[in-house]
Amino acid sequence: MRTAESQVYADPELAKIAWLSSQNSAQVYHSLMHHINAASLRSCFEKLDGQKAIGVDKISKEIYGSNLKSNIEDLLTRMKRMAYRPGIIRQVLIPKEGKPGATRPLGISNFEDKIVQKRVQEILDSIYEPIFSERSYGFRPRRGCHDAIKALKDYLYEEEVETVIDVDLANFFGTIDHQILMEMLKIKIKDTKFLRYISRMCKAGVLAEGELIVSEEGVAQGSCCSPALSNVVAHYVIDMWIEDTVKPLTTGKIEMFRYADDLIICCRYERDAIKVKTALAKRLAKYKLKLNEDKTKLVSFSKNKSRQGIKQEKFDFLGFTFYLGRSRAGRVIPKLKTNGKRFRSKLKRVNEWARSNRNKWPLRQLWKTFCAKIRGHVQYYGVSFNTEMVSKFVHAAKCIMFKWLNRRSQRTSMDWEKFDRFRLKFPLPEVKVYHKLF
């Protein structure tokens, strides 16, 4: 458990809540609605990105902000009378990384609802952040993907692990039962009005392909407070269960690493891993969640066996493939590289973008946007051991761009010599280690 001193809250009231939670993990809160006031809602308004997609009411941040004081006062009046009801959520489907043709639903709320969601998220974070597991990394302040990756790498390096459980949760966000979620929130939150508004957010309804769907399960991905709500469920269902129930009953040491619904469990012994995998499926079913049995697998990942010449397996986590390799001194150590499916999927997206945008902008603006896209990839995947894969990606993306630049007209506009001179003047992002794992 982390202390409140490690938290930084601009709002002193939220800092006080976080401090209380850090001092007493069983602390309950009977009054929270007074933290939703004109000042806090205006603050949330300022924090929201005005460039994001708009909801079904077509009201943008600019439109809402043109009469901000009156709109906030009206919203507060309705909330005090319990007359505020979140609007319908507009659903859009976005491609899944590394899974060509597959999509995942993204919920887009009305702007006013986003303001309320943002404040609810801040309150929930102040309550639960100090008691969340140190091995949980998703959607938490000052914690990100690379923190989870480094922590997992460090554990695999320092501890002897025989088997890794690569867990795949089937549609985790979409199968969270609302009643179970509310019962979990009631453990620490006793403010009935605050809980009723969370319940209303969950039951707002989703507009998908012209059809309104109201369900008793699922939290909309894209909502400001859905990450906080999903973390609460995962905390009680998975994190606390592993810490309080599983660890005392296993023969060897085990540890979990979770980023939202991406979960890896490292087990000292294979026999423990088999038992944990079976028990996990039953644990999830108890809370109406489901383990994807086809994709959840036991991975042999033993340094000792690798030293004996027994080939070990690989597993994926947050876009990287973890495997056992050799250090310069010849020691067996965990390494990682860009996941192959992600690598190919991202190159395909580069190709589609270059093909569809090659004639939309002047060359320099087109190249500037292309470099920005490449920079995002380089900075995310630029970790220890992975510079070769990143260099391959940049080279392949460069060749794709060269091909489509020569299709801006019917005649060849640029040969490699001219292209190289252009790249020297406007260089691509540097390939280097942005995140050191050792």
Side-chain angles (χ1 to χ4, degrees), residues 152-425:
L152 175 56
K153 188 280 307 174
D154 287 344
Y155 187 86
L156 293 170
Y157 181 83
E158 295 166 2
E159 303 288 340
E160 177 56 37
V161 173
E162 194 169 280
T163 303
V164 168
I165 311 175
D166 185 358
V167 179
D168 189 281
L169 301 177
N171 190 20
F172 175 69
F173 288 90
T175 54
I176 292 175
D177 184 89
H178 294 166
Q179 185 176 348
I180 292 174
L181 168 62
M182 298 310 297
E183 291 301 320
M184 290 176 178
L185 292 173
K186 287 177 184 177
I187 295 172
K188 292 184 68 63
I189 300 174
K190 306 301 180 181
D191 188 328
T192 55
K193 286 188 176 181
F194 186 79
L195 291 173
R196 282 176 65 187
Y197 275 127
I198 292 180
S199 180
R200 288 182 183 183
M201 289 177 190
C202 294
K203 293 175 169 56
V206 175
L207 187 65
E209 298 180 349
E211 181 182 357
L212 178 62
I213 302 171
V214 180
S215 176
E216 294 297 322
E217 62 180 24
V219 291
Q221 294 188 63
S223 163
C224 295
C225 62
S226 64
L229 294 174
S230 62
N231 265 339
V232 169
V233 173
H235 171 71
Y236 285 112
V237 176
I238 300 173
D239 303 356
M240 286 185 63
W241 174 71
I242 289 178
E243 190 66 34
D244 299 337
T245 303
V246 176
K247 286 186 177 182
L249 297 177
T250 53
T251 306
K253 187 175 181 179
I254 77 164
E255 192 57 83
M256 71 133 205
F257 298 85
R258 184 176 64 80
Y259 189 96
D261 59 341
D262 289 328
L263 175 64
I264 296 293
I265 304 175
C266 300
C267 302
R268 174 64 183 88
Y269 299 115
E270 183 182 7
R271 59 181 179 272
D272 285 336
I274 295 171
K275 293 177 182 178
V276 171
K277 180 176 178 291
T278 303
L280 178 60
K282 295 177 180 178
R283 174 72 176 179
L284 292 171
K286 180 180 177 182
Y287 294 93
K288 299 184 180 181
L289 299 171
K290 190 176 180 181
L291 195 67
N292 191 330
E293 296 285 357
D294 294 332
K295 295 184 178 180
T296 298
K297 57 186 179 180
L298 301 182
V299 180
S300 181
F301 206 83
S302 170
K303 296 194 292 288
N304 280 338
K305 290 182 179 179
S306 182
R307 294 185 194 104
Q308 297 168 18
I310 303 173
K311 187 175 181 181
Q312 297 301 288
E313 299 172 304
K314 307 172 184 177
F315 67 91
D316 298 326
F317 185 57
L318 298 179
F320 291 91
T321 296
F322 283 72
Y323 64 99
L324 290 174
R326 294 277 179 177
S327 68
R328 291 180 180 178
R331 296 174 59 198
V332 176
I333 61 171
K335 293 186 174 184
L336 63 163
K337 61 182 179 181
T338 308
N339 174 267
K341 288 184 179 179
R342 290 283 183 94
F343 185 92
R344 293 186 292 273
S345 174
K346 287 182 175 293
L347 281 181
K348 184 178 179 181
R349 289 172 62 182
V350 168
N351 185 70
E352 291 171 352
W353 178 85
R355 177 179 58 81
S356 59
N357 290 279
R358 66 187 187 275
N359 290 315
K360 287 186 178 180
W361 302 304
L363 177 58
R364 288 190 183 183
Q365 185 178 350
L366 181 69
W367 185 256
K368 182 179 179 181
T369 306
F370 170 71
C371 287
K373 291 180 176 295
I374 299 301
R375 185 175 298 108
H377 182 94
V378 168
Q379 292 180 348
Y380 181 82
Y381 288 98
V383 303
S384 304
F385 311 121
N386 197 42
T387 51
E388 182 180 351
M389 287 292 286
V390 175
S391 296
K392 286 182 178 179
F393 180 87
V394 173
H395 176 74
K398 176 187 67 177
C399 293
I400 289 170
M401 198 63 182
F402 175 76
K403 179 184 78 173
W404 289 112
L405 287 178
N406 279 306
R407 285 163 175 76
R408 282 159 62 92
S409 64
Q410 291 184 342
R411 63 179 184 178
T412 301
S413 58
M414 189 177 291
D415 57 22
W416 275 107
E417 184 179 350
K418 185 177 179 181
F419 184 59
D420 286 338
R421 289 201 303 269
F422 178 79
R423 287 194 304 109
L424 286 173
K425 189 173 182 180

Side-chain angles (χ1 to χ4, degrees), residues 32-80:
L32 293 172
M33 283 301 296
H34 66 281
H35 295 298
I36 303 179
N37 50 49
S40 65
L41 292 178
R42 279 195 298 270
S43 175
C44 291
F45 169 85
E46 297 297 338
K47 294 172 185 175
L48 291 171
D49 186 353
Q51 302 301 314
K52 297 290 185 180
I54 57 178
V56 294
D57 65 354
K58 306 297 183 183
I59 295 178
S60 64
K61 180 177 182 177
E62 182 181 1
I63 295 172
Y64 194 89
S66 62
N67 197 12
L68 182 60
K69 183 178 180 181
S70 176
N71 286 333
I72 293 292
E73 288 175 354
D74 176 64
L75 173 58
L76 272 175
T77 300
R78 283 181 284 131
M79 292 194 76
K80 288 176 181 178

